[in-house]
Amino acid sequence: MFSQNYSRVFKSFIRISFMLLVQFLYSQNSKIDSLKIELENHKYKDTVRVNILNHLAFYNYRNNPPQAVDYIEESLKLANELKVPKFTAHSYYVKAVIYTEKANFKIAEDNYEKAIQLYTSLQDLKGIEKSKNALGVLHTYKGDYKRSIKYYEEAMAIAKKRKDDKIILLYLRNIGLIHSNMGDYDKALENFNKSLQVNRISKDSVAMLNTLNSIANVYYQQGNYPLSLDFHNQSLEVAKKTKDSIGMFQSFLNIGNLYRQQFLNDKALEFYNKALTINIARHNVRNITALKNNIAGVYYDNEDYDKAIATFNESIELSKEIDDDANLVTALNGLGFVYFETKQFSKALTYFEEAKNISLENNYSYDLLDSYHGLSDSYLSLKKNDLSLINAKKLAELSNEYESLKHKKIAYALFSEIYKKKGDYKAAFDSHEYYKTLSDSLLNEENIKKLSEIEYEYKYKKERDEAAEREIKLTETVKIKSEDLEKSQRNLLLGIIAFLAVAIVLGSIIFYLKLRNSKAKTQNIITEQKLLRTQMTPHFIFNSLSVLQGMILNKEEGKSVKYLSKFSKLLRITLENSRDKTVLLSHELEAVDNYLSLQNIENEKISFNLNVDNKIDTNTIKVPPMLIQPFVENAIEHAFKKQKEDCEIEIKLTLVDSKLICEILDNGIGIDSSERNTNQNKKSLATKITSERLQYLSKDFKMEGSVVIEDRNKFDEEGTKVTIQIPYSKEDL
């Protein structure tokens, strides 16, 4: 039951880097245009022309692979004709680089081996080293981590012979990628951070891009989404500055994945579509399989299962063509979850089992966790509880080993369901309690707040920098004018200085107002998040579960089933309503009605009445969610502490002069009573946040919103009266 909420988790990241030994041969500042001119002027068929062709091929391999192929084929043909092994070996190497980027691994591997044979005959250690490193990269692309580590270590051994400490650090970074994919995150981050320091000193943009993406990927797998987004944004900035098309593609894809993990599918699709606009990335089949997996995942999230199945199958076919096990496993798990959701459990098991076997063979830690999750869920649905329990235990064990809090949470949700079906209610209850603890850890408010702050900071960083740069230029202009015109045009100069000063002040004021407005919007979001979390507090959930436990222990089966049904329905409605800025009034009242029904079962001494004016069409009016429930809960908690009978709470909704008014009345002790005001300075958190929220909503809806709390003794009645004027909008049917 619980685990189904988390079956939307898929991982499809560009996991690895490409070519760390580029600095051996090429300068990042060379210009393709100048090389073309040089090639046009040099007509002789000699080694100089071979070298120019190799440079042109290399500088086109990321952004124009077809052109790169043309250059390298001409270079290789000429090098063979000249019978100069050194240049032939290098041409084979560059050709392999190009075909690796195109994800044609067989051609790439054949050419690396040819290059190694020639470099060995020439005793060229540097050439052998760079080729073995490249083979390590190639096998990492394919997901063959054992062979990848073998080639990296062989290359690093040669680097140690040459005493090249800088390159050794870069090899450590590549090996760090393997540790990351195998779940050893501490060792991976240690290697990546060392590598990033070297990249920044050497200003190697390609290596820097890959290192930043790798660090972001580690934080993603650990569930630290704010830090992951921060490093992906840094990577995107580097790619844009260097006009690296493939780098931008990778960053767009990765940021899209990050937003999908937060169930922000619209934002995810925004970045996936940006990736699709980079046509050059289509030359790399592996890029397309990764993107297809993520688009299929969005179809899955949107419950468009036919499109999800078709897109996953396309990815599987492409992955098998190029021996790409990494993206193949993602697609297989994806299909498994789709068939699970469509209740084709036996078919789902087939795909989860195949994905599990490939993941075990290649040490794919994250994908393996997804496979065990799917297997346990499917066996549970097929009523094979023992098999489900075996896979859930494996999921819990590995989630501890790989430090995946999300998967650990899924495992304990599964335990709760399995033990309940096996009749072990104590184990089911204990598992569910631990599941709630993990949920609180995973969805802590600081993570959400930090994510908003980083996104905000990134979005406006460029604008602030440009404004500062303009101000510096204006200041310099003022200084130059002052020096040039000081003697002859003093009066005119004073006017210019005054004008520029006013312009700077006005510009600063406009920028400050814009920034303040943006911060206000961010504060509005955070305030709404705080409010939503107060509606279903851990205290309330714990109390409800305690009541339910008591009913079960007292063998009140009918009452406990009714209570559980109402409680689960209230949870579902609350979570659904909390996703949207506005909901239909009928949905909001349904949530309140369920809450009242739940309280009726628990507190039989209190009677509840919910009255809605006939003039109000609840199916056309949209209101902000969860404005009413906090005050009802407040009345239940405080109004009847000493009153044992005839306890009443009434909720009335009326439409007066186009104003939607909600009144919550109780006949309890009254807000002005000394017993309810022992601490005058302590104000209800829900009341405070609701009042704060209504201030923002009034501006958004362009309609007054307010809350007033009064003691009913002023009307010669008993109890408390809460009057909420709710901002609303109308939906056209």
Side-chain angles (χ1 to χ4, degrees):
M1 178 189 293
F2 293 99
S3 61
Q4 291 175 13
N5 294 330
Y6 296 92
S7 60
R8 299 181 178 186
V9 180
F10 298 98
K11 170 186 164 289
S12 180
F13 266 98
I14 302 294
R15 299 166 185 257
I16 60 169
S17 64
F18 195 67
M19 297 304 112
L20 295 175
L21 298 182
V22 173
Q23 69 268 31
F24 279 166
L25 301 168
Y26 300 101
S27 167
Q28 292 291 332
N29 298 321
S30 297
K31 299 289 181 68
I32 291 177
D33 289 342
S34 63
L35 286 170
K36 285 181 178 179
I37 294 170
E38 194 175 344
L39 182 68
E40 183 67 25
N41 293 334
H42 193 90
K43 303 294 185 181
Y44 299 105
K45 293 187 175 182
D46 55 13
T47 56
V48 174
R49 185 172 179 85
V50 172
N51 204 32
I52 297 170
L53 288 166
N54 282 340
H55 276 77
L56 280 166
F58 190 86
Y59 277 107
N60 279 281
Y61 91 90
R62 283 176 75 86
N63 293 328
N64 194 347
Q67 182 65 66
V69 170
D70 290 342
Y71 284 129
I72 200 59
E73 291 296 348
E74 183 183 345
S75 167
L76 194 54
K77 180 181 178 182
L78 181 55
N80 280 319
E81 289 175 358
L82 295 170
K83 296 181 180 180
V84 183
K86 178 180 178 181
F87 285 89
T88 305
H90 185 57
S91 296
Y92 279 130
Y93 170 78
V94 176
K95 182 176 179 179
V97 169
I98 296 166
Y99 278 96
T100 301
E101 183 62 29
K102 285 169 64 66
N104 193 326
F105 300 132
K106 187 177 186 309
I107 293 177
E109 191 168 0
D110 288 345
N111 280 276
Y112 283 135
E113 293 295 346
K114 289 176 182 177
I116 288 173
Q117 289 176 11
L118 288 171
Y119 284 132
T120 302
S121 68
L122 295 168
Q123 296 184 336
D124 184 343
L125 290 179
K126 192 178 291 187
I128 298 170
E129 180 189 334
K130 72 182 181 186
S131 299
K132 286 185 178 291
N133 169 72
L135 279 168
V137 173
L138 183 148
H139 286 294
T140 307
Y141 268 124
K142 293 176 66 175
D144 188 346
Y145 294 154
K146 290 180 181 177
R147 291 187 71 187
S148 180
I149 289 177
K150 170 183 173 290
Y151 282 116
Y152 286 144
E153 289 179 344
E154 288 177 1
M156 189 160 61
I158 296 172
K160 287 179 179 178
K161 283 184 182 179
R162 298 192 304 102
K163 297 181 180 179
D164 191 337
D165 294 334
K166 180 178 176 182
I167 300 304
I168 290 170
L169 282 175
L170 297 178
Y171 285 127
L172 289 173
R173 176 191 165 275
N174 258 7
I175 295 172
L177 283 167
I178 307 300
H179 288 304
S180 173
N181 289 331
M182 295 174 69
D184 192 349
Y185 301 126
D186 290 339
K187 191 172 288 186
L189 284 172
E190 180 183 344
N191 290 335
F192 292 151
N193 286 324
K194 288 180 181 178
S195 176
L196 188 59
Q197 290 175 7
V198 174
N199 300 152
R200 283 175 171 156
I201 293 170
S202 64
K203 297 184 179 179
D204 184 342
S205 61
V206 175
M208 195 183 304
L209 276 172
N210 291 318
T211 305
L212 289 167
N213 281 333
S214 300
I215 294 173
N217 190 25
V218 171
Y219 286 123
Y220 170 88
Q221 293 192 45
Q222 289 182 311
N224 193 335
Y225 304 129
L227 273 177
S228 183
L229 179 62
D230 187 18
F231 279 97
H232 279 315
N233 281 332
Q234 291 182 45
S235 174
L236 182 58
E237 284 295 336
V238 173
K240 286 180 176 179
K241 285 180 181 177
T242 57
K243 298 182 180 179
D244 188 328
S245 301
I246 297 298
M248 285 189 282
F249 176 90
Q250 291 174 348
S251 293
F252 287 141
L253 177 59
N254 291 341
I255 293 172
N257 293 338
L258 191 60
Y259 281 118
R260 242 191 85 227
Q261 180 64 21
Q262 301 293 307
F263 304 110
L264 301 172
N265 283 349
D266 289 342
K267 296 208 73 170
L269 280 174
E270 176 188 336
F271 282 93
Y272 290 153
N273 287 329
K274 287 180 180 180
L276 282 173
T277 62
I278 302 177
N279 292 323
I280 198 66
R282 298 178 184 275
H283 293 292
N284 187 326
V285 178
R286 191 171 187 275
N287 285 340
I288 303 307
T289 57
L291 190 55
K292 281 184 179 293
N293 279 339
N294 286 281
I295 292 173
V298 173
Y299 288 141
Y300 172 88
D301 293 343
N302 294 335
E303 299 182 2
D304 192 345
Y305 297 129
D306 290 338
K307 285 185 179 179
I309 290 170
T311 310
F312 276 130
N313 278 321
E314 289 173 9
S315 177
I316 289 172
E317 185 178 344
L318 289 172
S319 297
K320 287 181 176 179
E321 284 180 10
I322 62 173
D323 294 327
D324 180 4
D325 282 346
N327 280 311
L328 175 61
V329 167
T330 300
L332 290 170
N333 274 331
L335 267 181
F337 283 114
V338 173
Y339 285 122
F340 176 85
E341 290 296 335
T342 55
K343 303 190 184 306
Q344 301 178 62
F345 304 121
S346 297
K347 205 166 186 177
L349 281 173
T350 303
Y351 287 101
F352 287 132
E353 193 67 38
E354 185 178 353
K356 182 193 78 173
N357 292 335
I358 296 173
S359 295
L360 285 170
E361 183 180 345
N362 293 283
N363 294 317
Y364 295 162
S365 60
Y366 198 94
D367 299 290
L368 185 58
L369 291 169
D370 278 347
S371 297
Y372 280 122
H373 168 201
L375 286 166
S376 182
D377 246 346
S378 300
Y379 280 125
L380 184 62
S381 298
L382 290 169
K383 299 182 180 179
K384 297 182 179 181
N385 298 333
D386 290 336
L387 287 172
S388 178
L389 184 59
I390 289 170
N391 284 280
K393 285 181 176 177
K394 197 66 182 174
L395 177 60
E397 176 190 337
L398 291 176
S399 64
N400 272 328
E401 182 180 341
Y402 300 142
E403 299 178 359
S404 177
L405 184 62
K406 172 172 59 61
H407 286 95
K408 190 174 182 180
K409 175 185 172 186
I410 292 170
Y412 277 89
L414 281 164
F415 286 150
S416 179
E417 280 297 295
I418 295 166
Y419 286 127
K420 187 167 69 174
K421 290 192 175 183
K422 289 169 72 70
D424 189 345
Y425 297 111
K426 184 180 186 309
F429 180 78
D430 290 343
S431 297
H432 187 64
E433 286 295 297
Y434 192 50
Y435 160 80
K436 290 192 301 176
T437 302
L438 293 170
S439 297
D440 291 340
S441 299
L442 190 63
L443 298 174
N444 67 80
E445 187 174 348
E446 286 301 314
N447 255 15
I448 297 171
K449 182 179 178 182
K450 186 65 177 175
L451 186 63
S452 299
E453 289 173 352
I454 290 174
E455 183 181 9
Y456 168 84
E457 192 68 21
Y458 173 70
K459 187 176 180 182
Y460 294 100
K461 179 177 181 296
K462 185 179 290 185
E463 187 175 345
R464 291 199 306 270
D465 290 345
E466 288 174 354
E469 187 176 344
R470 286 196 299 270
E471 186 173 345
I472 290 170
K473 288 182 178 178
L474 283 170
T475 304
E476 290 176 351
T477 302
V478 170
K479 184 177 179 181
I480 292 169
K481 293 288 184 182
S482 177
E483 292 174 352
D484 291 342
L485 303 176
E486 185 176 1
K487 294 180 181 180
S488 58
Q489 298 177 330
R490 183 175 298 276
N491 291 335
L492 179 60
L493 175 61
L494 290 172
I496 293 172
I497 292 173
F499 172 78
L500 290 173
V502 170
I504 292 171
V505 170
L506 288 175
S508 299
I509 292 171
I510 292 169
F511 179 74
Y512 170 76
L513 291 174
K514 186 174 181 181
L515 190 63
R516 188 176 66 178
N517 183 51
S518 300
K519 285 184 176 178
K521 290 181 179 178
T522 303
Q523 182 61 41
N524 186 17
I525 294 170
I526 294 171
T527 300
E528 290 197 29
Q529 289 174 336
K530 289 179 181 177
L531 178 64
L532 296 179
R533 288 185 181 84
T534 66
Q535 312 311 305
M536 194 60 60
T537 62
H539 176 72
F540 169 72
I541 296 174
F542 179 79
N543 284 346
S544 298
L545 289 174
S546 297
V547 171
L548 180 60
Q549 185 183 21
M551 291 176 182
I552 294 171
L553 293 175
N554 292 330
K555 297 185 178 179
E556 299 176 282
E557 295 180 357
K559 192 173 180 181
S560 64
V561 170
K562 183 179 178 183
Y563 189 91
L564 180 59
S565 174
K566 293 288 185 181
F567 178 69
S568 61
K569 191 172 182 182
L570 177 60
L571 277 177
R572 176 181 61 77
I573 294 171
T574 301
L575 291 172
E576 287 177 352
N577 286 357
S578 70
R579 295 176 184 171
D580 300 319
K581 182 178 179 181
T582 59
V583 297
L584 288 173
L585 180 57
S586 59
H587 293 173
E588 176 70 359
L589 293 178
E590 183 181 3
V592 174
D593 185 60
N594 271 280
Y595 178 79
L596 295 178
S597 299
L598 198 64
Q599 294 297 332
N600 261 325
I601 297 173
E602 183 181 353
N603 296 297
E604 296 178 348
K605 72 173 185 177
I606 305 176
S607 63
F608 302 91
N609 292 309
L610 177 60
N611 298 314
V612 182
D613 194 322
N614 292 332
K615 293 187 291 184
I616 300 175
D617 186 351
T618 60
N619 290 315
T620 61
I621 291 177
K622 301 194 78 173
V623 299
M626 302 180 192
L627 283 172
I628 301 172
Q629 184 181 316
F631 297 100
V632 178
E633 187 174 348
N634 215 34
I636 293 169
E637 184 177 351
H638 297 292
F640 309 112
K641 285 187 175 179
K642 291 191 175 182
Q643 190 169 331
K644 303 298 182 183
E645 55 186 14
D646 298 327
C647 303
E648 295 179 359
I649 294 178
E650 183 179 7
I651 304 169
K652 295 195 298 185
L653 270 87
T654 55
L655 203 60
V656 181
D657 298 330
S658 298
K659 297 178 181 178
L660 182 60
I661 306 297
C662 175
E663 293 181 347
I664 303 164
L665 303 100
D666 67 65
N667 64 342
I669 196 168
I671 195 171
D672 291 339
S673 169
S674 60
E675 290 184 13
R676 293 187 60 191
N677 287 277
T678 55
N679 186 351
Q680 294 289 341
N681 295 321
K682 185 175 180 181
K683 188 176 182 182
S684 165
L685 180 62
T687 304
K688 180 181 178 182
I689 297 177
T690 302
S691 300
E692 188 176 331
R693 185 183 177 201
L694 283 168
Q695 292 179 11
Y696 292 112
L697 291 172
S698 297
K699 296 176 183 178
D700 284 351
F701 285 82
K702 297 181 180 178
M703 181 182 295
E704 185 180 352
S706 62
V707 58
V708 178
I709 304 176
E710 305 167 285
D711 198 299
R712 295 175 67 186
N713 63 13
K714 67 169 66 175
F715 309 111
D716 295 323
E717 297 173 350
E718 291 184 349
T720 301
K721 176 181 178 182
V722 179
T723 305
I724 311 172
Q725 182 173 330
I726 304 175
Y728 68 93
S729 61
K730 283 199 172 183
E731 185 178 71
D732 297 328
L733 296 178

